[in-house]
Amino acid sequence: MDFLTLIGLAAALAMDAFAVALGAGLTLERLTGGHMFRLSFHFGLFQGMMPVIGWLAGLSVQRWIAAYDHWIAFILLSFIGGKMIYEAFEEEQALRDPRDPTRGLTLVMLSIATSIDALAVGLSLGMLGVRIWFPALIIAVVAGVFTLAGMLLGRRISNLWGPRVEIFGGVVLFAIGLKILLEHTLAG
């Protein structure tokens, strides 16, 4: 696999991470270096690990993963997006800090949901006989950079749109999950 193809693949895989990071940048009241590091690091880590896991899993698991990966991503992203929308309408929203998507179980769920496609890519690269370590590193770095860019862009947009932008962030997460689900169910 040539380097330009690998960069294109990594950028395509990082688009979901970018969109979710955009939503996170929209919803965080104050974006700090810690937020940016945690989300970029975890999205990059999961995007880099999933191809390796897929590569190691081999062909026997491919059919099962391909049949359900889109459902897993849809459920995780819909749950988190719905939760964000619900919390935006709570009466006490103005009195408490908004949830931090860069911490805890939410961070893990988002990391898994945005990197499931990379698992299938790892399986494909394994079938092609491609060595996985360098592609996994490039995929991880590109995902981290795209995540950082998404958070920064989300923060800029949030400053323009105001406090109710959390609803938009939740809708974005749901839309990404729906897109993944439709692409896989309509293609198959």
Side-chain angles (χ1 to χ4, degrees):
M1 173 178 297
D2 67 272
F3 189 70
L4 193 56
T5 302
L6 179 56
I7 293 294
L9 174 66
L13 288 173
M15 286 302 162
D16 288 344
F18 174 81
V20 170
L22 180 73
L26 287 169
T27 60
L28 288 168
E29 187 173 314
R30 193 173 77 93
L31 185 62
T32 66
H35 293 123
M36 292 185 291
F37 173 77
R38 281 190 301 273
L39 201 64
S40 297
F41 176 79
H42 282 89
F43 279 13
L45 178 66
F46 275 73
Q47 285 279 4
M49 281 184 351
M50 288 296 200
V52 173
I53 293 169
W55 185 75
L56 292 171
L59 296 175
S60 62
V61 185
Q62 183 182 17
R63 288 187 190 131
W64 184 82
I65 292 170
Y68 297 103
D69 65 348
H70 51 284
W71 284 104
I72 294 167
F74 174 71
I75 290 167
L76 290 173
L77 291 171
S78 295
F79 174 75
I80 296 167
K83 188 173 167 216
M84 288 170 63
I85 293 168
Y86 173 78
E87 289 172 355
F89 285 108
E90 283 186 330
E91 286 182 34
E92 299 175 335
Q93 179 67 21
L95 302 176
R96 62 180 176 83
D97 293 331
R99 299 284 172 161
D100 183 352
T102 69
R103 292 189 182 275
L105 187 58
T106 300
L107 175 60
V108 173
M109 288 172 50
L110 288 173
S111 297
I112 292 169
T114 59
S115 63
I116 293 247
D117 287 347
L119 187 70
V121 167
L123 284 167
S124 300
L125 293 177
M127 290 189 304
L128 296 173
V130 173
R131 293 179 190 227
I132 196 65
W133 305 110
F134 184 67
L137 177 65
I138 296 301
I139 289 168
V141 169
V142 169
V145 169
F146 274 50
T147 300
L148 183 61
M151 290 186 84
L152 292 170
L153 180 61
R155 174 58 17 213
R156 282 190 168 270
I157 293 170
S158 178
N159 288 339
L160 296 173
W161 290 355
R164 284 296 189 177
V165 79
E166 189 170 356
I167 296 168
F168 180 71
V171 170
V172 166
L173 290 180
F174 178 77
I176 293 167
L178 186 60
K179 175 187 151 289
I180 292 168
L181 179 66
L182 291 175
E183 282 176 350
H184 284 80
T185 54
L186 295 177

